[in-house]
Amino acid sequence: EKGGYEHFMLKEIYEQPDAVTDTYRGRMLVEQSLIRMAGVDDNLERFLNADRIIIVACGTSWHAGLVAEYIFEDIARIPVEVEYASEFRYRNPIIGSKDVVIAISQSGETADTMAAIKLAKEKGAFVFGVCNVVGSSISRETHAGAYTHAGPEIGVASTKAFTTQITVLSLIALKLAKAKGAISNSDFQYHLEELDLIPEKIKQALASNEHIKKVAHKYMNAANFLYLGRGFNFPVALEGALKLKEISYIHAEGYPAAEMKHGPIALIDEKMPVVVIATKKGHYEKVVSNIQEIKSRKGKIIAVVTEGDQDVRSMADYVIEVPDTVEALTPLLTTIPLQLLSYHIAVMLGKNVDQPRNLAKSVTVE
Ligand code: F6R
């Protein structure tokens, strides 16, 4: 059942090239320069007339929502708010019939997300679900939706659900951008071609596994980790930290890189490993200067970089390369080494990777 892998989590990490392909198969027609998604096509006017999109979710799915916020705003120019479902449902949110709510949930059973959906529906919003489990409660409660088609996710720590959620949300953003005229035809086509290359590039990212194991071995005894990223990769930093916390029980925090100087930099000393996502895209130079700040305080730097990067390599203690892609899609690649890093650290510490203490696969109580 684990297909020769030691744990479900590792199997599911390795399934990501296929899972992402399954997510866009039949929806993204590269040759025709077209994205077809029934749930969106049938409700296109609702999406296009929306004043804003509100995304509600919990945990890793919330992180996928944050990535989507960057993608929707950048590509489709639609304002997006991302909310923890648990906060949204209890704070008397201002929401009406012109709002589109996107609820993201792997299991489709999360109690807080379900309650947020019910509230949004009561207030007249159109609610769209992005679920993995077919026929789940949330997929039934929403007005329309798109499944991620990641296949069953057994490991409690979410991996392939995250990357396929980002894939679905990218497809929706691109589709709306095209319908609104917010993206040129050539840029739209370029994004489709780049998305089509992602599964192969995830495979290349997975090929760093042995190297990542060495990094894991080096830092497995650290008491704390910091994860930093900017822009599209800020939520990836949050997700990397969550993965490490969940399965290795090492305290980790994710931050937007520039926020470091507003507090967390006080934590940095020679015992603090800092995982920095520093792909050669927007804000690259700024991240490089953040790395210098860490370095001058003797922090240990593990940098996720674009293939061939030399500048960061000269400063970092370890670099992990991912292939280049268009900026909006970098989270699909930068996430991979962070999943593997937390996996190997947890295994080396002898933790129960697939069933971490105190956690359940679907959280059906608030
Ligand atoms: C993290 C994790 C949880 C879930 C969260 C939401 O690895 O598994 O944080 O992401 O409980 O679950 P779903 O997506 O099923 O609503």
Side-chain angles (χ1 to χ4, degrees):
E1 48 175 28
K2 291 183 197 147
Y5 290 95
E6 206 182 325
H7 298 97
F8 282 111
M9 182 181 176
L10 190 62
K11 171 171 179 266
E12 288 158 7
I13 289 172
Y14 272 85
E15 278 172 351
Q16 289 175 110
D18 289 340
V20 167
T21 307
D22 290 343
T23 301
Y24 68 62
R25 181 184 291 125
R27 290 170 165 163
M28 178 171 82
L29 311 174
V30 181
E31 255 99 85
Q32 292 156 255
S33 207
L34 190 72
I35 293 171
R36 216 167 44 192
M37 301 175 86
V40 182
D41 284 308
D42 296 347
N43 300 286
L44 200 56
E45 290 308 309
R46 300 279 323 223
F47 276 103
L48 295 178
N49 292 329
D51 293 331
R52 58 177 181 165
I53 292 174
I54 301 166
I55 297 179
V56 294
C58 304
T60 290
S61 297
W62 182 76
H63 294 152
L66 285 180
V67 174
E69 175 179 23
Y70 283 85
I71 300 176
F72 271 97
E73 295 203 343
D74 187 50
I75 296 182
R77 308 302 295 156
I78 302 172
V80 175
E81 286 165 37
V82 189
E83 298 245 20
Y84 284 116
S86 55
E87 287 298 315
F88 177 85
R89 62 179 288 200
Y90 284 119
R91 68 173 179 78
N92 193 14
I94 300 164
I95 175 168
S97 57
K98 284 199 78 183
D99 287 315
V100 168
V101 171
I102 299 180
I104 310 173
S105 177
Q106 187 287 128
S107 63
E109 304 296 341
T110 301
D112 280 319
T113 308
M114 182 56 126
I117 292 166
K118 287 188 173 150
L119 178 67
K121 279 172 75 181
E122 266 165 42
K123 296 194 179 247
F126 170 69
V127 186
F128 188 91
V130 175
C131 294
N132 190 43
V133 177
V134 176
S136 54
S137 306
I138 289 176
S139 68
R140 283 183 279 116
E141 188 69 27
T142 42
H143 294 113
Y147 285 116
T148 43
H149 299 307
E153 191 181 65
I154 312 285
V156 164
S158 193
T159 54
K160 63 177 179 170
F162 179 67
T163 42
T164 56
Q165 286 163 346
I166 294 173
T167 302
V168 162
L169 293 158
S170 302
L171 290 172
I172 298 173
L174 284 164
K175 185 170 174 59
L176 297 180
K178 177 100 184 273
K180 277 184 66 182
I183 192 171
S184 69
N185 287 343
S186 60
D187 206 19
F188 179 79
Q189 179 61 18
Y190 179 58
H191 277 78
L192 300 200
E193 286 166 13
E194 285 295 320
L195 182 54
D196 204 27
L197 294 172
I198 289 291
E200 205 46 48
K201 291 180 179 179
I202 294 178
K203 277 187 202 159
Q204 291 170 36
L206 289 166
S208 294
N209 187 42
E210 288 305 315
H211 172 56
I212 295 168
K213 241 187 212 172
K214 290 192 193 112
V215 181
H217 191 258
K218 176 87 184 171
Y219 297 111
M220 59 184 271
N221 293 313
N224 300 282
F225 268 74
L226 270 183
Y227 284 74
L228 304 176
R230 294 182 84 121
F232 295 91
N233 284 294
F234 152 55
V236 175
L238 297 182
E239 173 61 9
L242 178 64
K243 281 299 78 102
L244 188 70
K245 280 182 268 210
E246 283 183 293
I247 59 171
S248 73
Y249 317 143
I250 295 173
H251 171 245
E253 287 193 62
Y255 265 97
E259 273 294 305
M260 199 180 57
K261 61 172 73 65
H262 299 285
I265 198 164
L267 294 167
I268 293 178
D269 61 13
E270 69 287 351
K271 292 203 280 292
M272 177 70 94
V274 186
V275 179
V276 188
I277 303 157
T279 43
K280 253 202 167 95
K281 294 288 159 191
H283 315 301
Y284 173 72
E285 279 78 21
K286 308 245 178 208
V287 178
V288 170
S289 71
N290 295 139
I291 291 176
Q292 276 156 346
E293 289 158 10
I294 303 163
K295 190 93 193 137
S296 62
R297 286 157 186 88
K298 302 197 168 55
K300 299 292 178 263
I301 293 149
I302 305 159
V304 177
V305 302
T306 307
E307 228 161 44
D309 182 293
Q310 291 305 328
D311 304 338
V312 173
R313 184 175 291 272
S314 64
M315 292 182 276
D317 294 272
Y318 287 91
V319 297
I320 305 171
E321 293 191 334
V322 294
D324 195 14
T325 184
V326 60
E327 185 166 16
L329 302 179
T330 52
L332 293 169
L333 302 177
T334 52
T335 299
I336 307 297
L338 306 192
Q339 294 170 345
L340 287 170
L341 182 65
S342 57
Y343 171 78
H344 288 302
I345 290 177
V347 170
M348 287 169 189
L349 292 173
K351 307 300 182 203
N352 186 345
V353 172
D354 282 336
Q355 287 191 304
R357 68 186 182 199
N358 309 340
L359 296 175
K361 188 64 189 162
S362 55
V363 183
T364 52
V365 291
E366 67 168 283

